[in-house]
Amino acid sequence: MPSPPKVPIPTLERLATYMRMLVELSSNGSATISSAEVEVCTGVDASQFRKDLSYFGMFGKPGVGYDVASLQRKIARILRIDSPQPVVLIGAGNLGAALVGYPGMAEHNFEIRAVFDNNFAKIGRKLWDTEILDINDLESVNREIGARIAILAVPSSAAQEVAEHCVRAGMDLILNFAPTHIKMAANIFVRDVSFLQELAVLSFHAGPSDDHS
């Protein structure tokens, strides 16, 4: 089911939050949920939740709420994770290992099909149950996998070159964990994830420093 045009990015981000909630509710055997309960579970205002869903049609019933299984299926279709979504990971370091071992990936139908690195000491070894492959084989391997999503867990100095390599291999959706901005063509969608940025925001909320010099 294609997403309607001009859906705000924050709405899509919240849909992923709702999806995580629904997966948990399903595992607990919950059958229905109200928008007020969504607010309690996610911290997203009930009216915002209803507005987010309104981009894609009507989902709930007044006085009844939302069927958990049905809503989960519909949001999965909207986010195109109703079937396995192949993903390629570049970078077999500590962060890469954490991503491969993260169970939430499979719960949301993201499958890391291949892991690549340029370190000959790592190539051929296993990262969890996945063999680490040579980055030079990226294009040939992805011809078999057909992944459009690439996760970059590489040093900032390598991020631009690796991203361009991913595009040549057929990937146009990039999740960038490198602490740097990469410049790509307009048809390549890049999401930057900055731990330092998030920590800086948290640090600001720690309150004013005693040292005002």
Side-chain angles (χ1 to χ4, degrees), residues 67-118:
D67 181 88
V68 169
S70 175
L71 186 58
Q72 182 179 343
R73 288 193 299 271
K74 290 175 180 177
I75 292 180
R77 285 199 298 272
I78 291 167
L79 296 177
R80 297 187 176 93
I81 53 173
D82 50 329
S83 59
Q85 183 74 267
V87 178
V88 164
L89 171 67
I90 316 295
N94 292 333
L95 176 57
L99 292 170
V100 171
Y102 177 51
M105 299 281 282
E107 289 175 355
H108 287 71
N109 255 337
F110 293 108
E111 296 183 353
I112 296 182
R113 298 279 182 86
V115 178
F116 294 87
D117 206 286
N118 66 349

Side-chain angles (χ1 to χ4, degrees), residues 17-83:
T17 297
Y18 307 147
M19 188 67 186
R20 185 175 66 244
M21 172 197 69
L22 292 166
V23 167
E24 184 175 347
L25 289 172
S26 293
S27 67
N28 293 335
S30 300
T32 60
I33 189 169
S34 68
S35 57
E37 290 170 326
V38 170
E39 181 172 341
V40 172
C41 291
T42 66
V44 178
D45 186 80
S47 61
Q48 181 65 64
F49 169 70
R50 293 191 294 270
K51 180 180 179 181
D52 289 338
L53 294 187
S54 70
Y55 283 101
F56 308 97
M58 298 298 294
F59 292 85
K61 296 180 181 179
V64 177
Y66 301 84
D67 181 88
V68 169
S70 175
L71 186 58
Q72 182 179 343
R73 288 193 299 271
K74 290 175 180 177
I75 292 180
R77 285 199 298 272
I78 291 167
L79 296 177
R80 297 187 176 93
I81 53 173
D82 50 329
S83 59

